[in-house]
């Protein structure tokens, strides 16, 4: 199959979420409003929303948070789920993404949640199956549900944010310092695309090896600062500061050697650095984190940390995304 055949295969179903770029600010607001509504709903009511509907979780890369929260979210809406992972399916025998997707569709899947090592794979799957596809992380490209749960965490934890309407000024005065392996991070990319559209300033921080000058194709509201101490101090002096730490993705380094001792001294968020530079900063990490490398355990477990909140908000946001994907639970106008 050549690429033209793939691109001509069909349109992307409404309700898909492939990139945060595809969401208007109004749609982001609608997803977060639905998240609130679904969370407050009695479990006995919520379970009727997708009762009997079939959702496939197709994971070509390992995951704890994303996979589990999508599965629990689907079940809380009454849907049936099936997990297909590359390790224990016919993918191991060489079956293509297209044939795997068509097989799931033939078995009655109405929506596919896909994590894949290749950037753009969710887009191809959506085109080839015609089903709504939720991108659960594609290569170094995007992790849109992570950016939405990160946004919800900020709105819940930053002072004065609770109950604020989501619009282009919601995060005015907020600086989000994203530090670590920016080059390989789909989380950084999705957040750098989403947060400035809501008024935040995003500062990317890390050594050249992990943060080339042209990283992410910097858009408006996104800057680079290599000095982590300076970035934290500036963020704290200009309003609300968020320190979002990222894991070094050893699995994607491909021969790139880093002096870890030097990295830790310059970029690890430990208590001394946090207290000295941004004592009120909200500390975030998408996980999985490597304690003692990009973040000290005492900071991860400390009062500034929102890391477990992020996981909890992931469940809520993904519940809304699944309802939206299947045109239910307040998203009936999203036609599939
Ligand atoms: N943040 C995140 O995507 O975590 P998992 O890899 O555990 O899903």
């Amino acid at each position: 199959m050549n690429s033209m055949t793939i691109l001509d295969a069909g349109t992307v179903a409404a309700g898909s979420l492939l990139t945060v770029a595809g969401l208007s600010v109004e749609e982001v607001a609608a997803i977060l409003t639905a998240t609130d509504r679904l969370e407050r709903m009695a479990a006995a009511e919520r379970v009727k929303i997708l009762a009997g509907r079939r959702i496939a979780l197709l994971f070509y890369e390992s995951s704890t948070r994303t996979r589990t929260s999508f599965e629990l979210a689907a079940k809380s809406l009454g849907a049936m789920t099936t997990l297909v992972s590359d390790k224990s399916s016919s993918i191991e025998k060489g079956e293509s993404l297209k044939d795997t997707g068509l097989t799931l569709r033939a078995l009655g899947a109405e929506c596919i949640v896909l994590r894949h090592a290749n950037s753009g794979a969710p887009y191809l799957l959506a085109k080839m199956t015609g089903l709504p596809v939720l991108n659960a992380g594609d290569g170094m490209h995007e992790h849109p549900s992570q950016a939405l749960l990160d946004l919800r965490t900020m709105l819940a934890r930053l002072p004065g944010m609770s109950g604020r309407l989501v619009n282009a000024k919601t995060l005015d005065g907020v600086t989000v310092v994203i530090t670590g392996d920016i080059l390989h991070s789909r989380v950084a990319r999705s957040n750098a695309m989403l947060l400035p559209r809501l008024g935040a300033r995003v500062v990317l921080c890390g050594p050249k090896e992990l943060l080339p000058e042209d990283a992410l194709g910097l858009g408006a509201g996104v800057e680079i600062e290599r000095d982590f101490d300076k970035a934290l101090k500036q963020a704290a002096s200009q309003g609300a500061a968020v320190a979002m730490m990222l894991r070094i993705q050893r699995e994607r380094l491909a021969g790139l050697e880093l002096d870890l001792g030097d990295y830790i001294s310059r970029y690890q968020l430990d208590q001394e650095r946090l207290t000295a530079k941004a004592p009120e900063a909200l500390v975030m990490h998408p996980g999985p984190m490597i304690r003692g490398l990009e973040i000290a355990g005492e900071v991860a477990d400390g009062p500034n940390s929102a890391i477990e909140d992020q996981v909890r908000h992931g469940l809520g946001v993904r519940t809304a995304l699944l309802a939206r994907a299947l045109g239910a639970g307040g998203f009936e106008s999203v036609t599939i």
Side-chain angles (χ1 to χ4, degrees):
M1 175 183 283
N2 64 38
S3 59
M4 274 313 286
T5 315
I6 291 171
L7 292 175
D8 287 347
T11 54
V12 172
S16 293
L17 179 58
L18 307 177
T19 161
V20 292
L23 290 175
S24 66
V25 172
E26 292 74 22
E27 285 172 307
V28 172
I31 290 165
L32 296 192
T33 301
T35 304
D36 292 343
R37 190 176 63 245
L38 291 166
E39 259 182 6
R40 281 198 305 269
M41 196 178 276
E45 286 303 306
R46 192 169 53 232
V47 78
K48 295 176 189 165
I49 291 173
L50 294 183
R53 310 287 297 268
R54 294 181 187 181
I55 292 169
L57 309 169
L58 178 51
F59 276 67
Y60 286 74
E61 284 189 331
S62 57
S63 165
T64 299
R65 281 148 285 270
T66 311
R67 200 192 88 184
T68 310
S69 56
F70 266 119
E71 183 172 352
L72 292 174
K75 290 193 161 116
S76 81
L77 292 164
M80 292 180 280
T81 61
T82 186
L83 170 68
V84 178
S85 99
D86 60 328
K87 300 292 185 307
S88 56
S89 67
S90 289
I91 296 166
E92 270 195 322
K93 301 173 195 163
E95 189 162 45
S96 68
L97 176 64
K98 174 182 178 176
D99 289 329
T100 303
L102 294 179
T103 300
L104 292 173
R105 188 178 71 177
L107 288 167
E110 298 170 78
C111 168
I112 302 177
V113 178
L114 176 66
R115 172 167 288 191
H116 201 284
N118 292 344
S119 302
Y123 177 76
L124 294 180
L125 185 69
K127 285 277 211 179
M128 290 184 293
T129 62
L131 297 175
V133 170
L134 300 180
N135 180 358
D138 61 329
M140 292 153 49
H141 180 226
E142 276 220 53
H143 197 346
S145 64
Q146 179 73 44
L148 291 168
L149 75 88
D150 287 341
L151 169 62
R152 190 166 195 249
T153 305
M154 288 176 210
L155 296 177
R157 284 286 303 261
L158 288 174
M161 289 284 165
S162 181
R164 254 197 211 188
L165 293 176
V166 173
N167 58 38
K169 292 179 181 294
T170 303
L171 296 179
D172 275 1
V174 177
T175 303
V176 183
V177 181
I178 308 179
T179 304
D181 188 354
I182 309 288
L183 176 63
H184 301 105
S185 177
R186 51 198 178 207
V187 175
R189 182 179 297 276
S190 288
N191 271 301
M193 289 168 76
L194 178 66
L195 300 176
R197 292 168 61 206
L198 304 174
R201 184 173 153 249
V202 170
V203 177
L204 305 176
C205 191
K208 276 203 166 63
E209 298 92 317
L210 301 178
L211 174 54
E213 291 297 331
D214 58 353
L216 311 188
L218 299 178
V222 185
E223 303 154 34
I224 287 180
E225 171 55 66
R226 301 210 180 270
D227 184 331
F228 188 29
D229 292 315
K230 192 171 162 191
L232 285 175
K233 199 167 182 175
Q234 272 184 357
S237 70
Q238 290 173 2
V242 177
M244 185 182 289
M245 307 308 296
L246 300 177
R247 179 176 69 93
I248 295 177
Q249 299 192 30
R250 290 170 193 257
E251 69 274 27
R252 298 191 217 273
L253 284 182
L256 187 68
E257 293 293 334
L258 265 186
D259 179 339
L260 286 185
D262 178 61
Y263 182 83
I264 287 169
S265 74
R266 291 170 64 198
Y267 293 109
Q268 183 188 81
L269 187 61
D270 60 16
Q271 193 59 54
E272 191 183 337
R273 176 168 268 144
L274 183 63
T275 304
K277 306 300 176 192
E280 308 296 327
L282 187 67
V283 175
M284 298 178 67
H285 194 307
M289 62 183 156
I290 309 299
R291 289 168 183 257
L293 209 169
E294 72 273 12
I295 189 166
E298 59 191 346
V299 173
D301 298 332
N304 294 38
S305 174
I307 296 170
E308 286 186 28
D309 290 345
Q310 289 175 267
V311 177
R312 276 191 286 274
H313 289 303
L315 182 59
V317 164
R318 287 168 179 139
T319 305
L321 290 176
L322 288 168
R324 177 178 177 270
L326 289 170
F331 288 103
E332 285 73 9
S333 62
V334 179
T335 49
I336 298 168

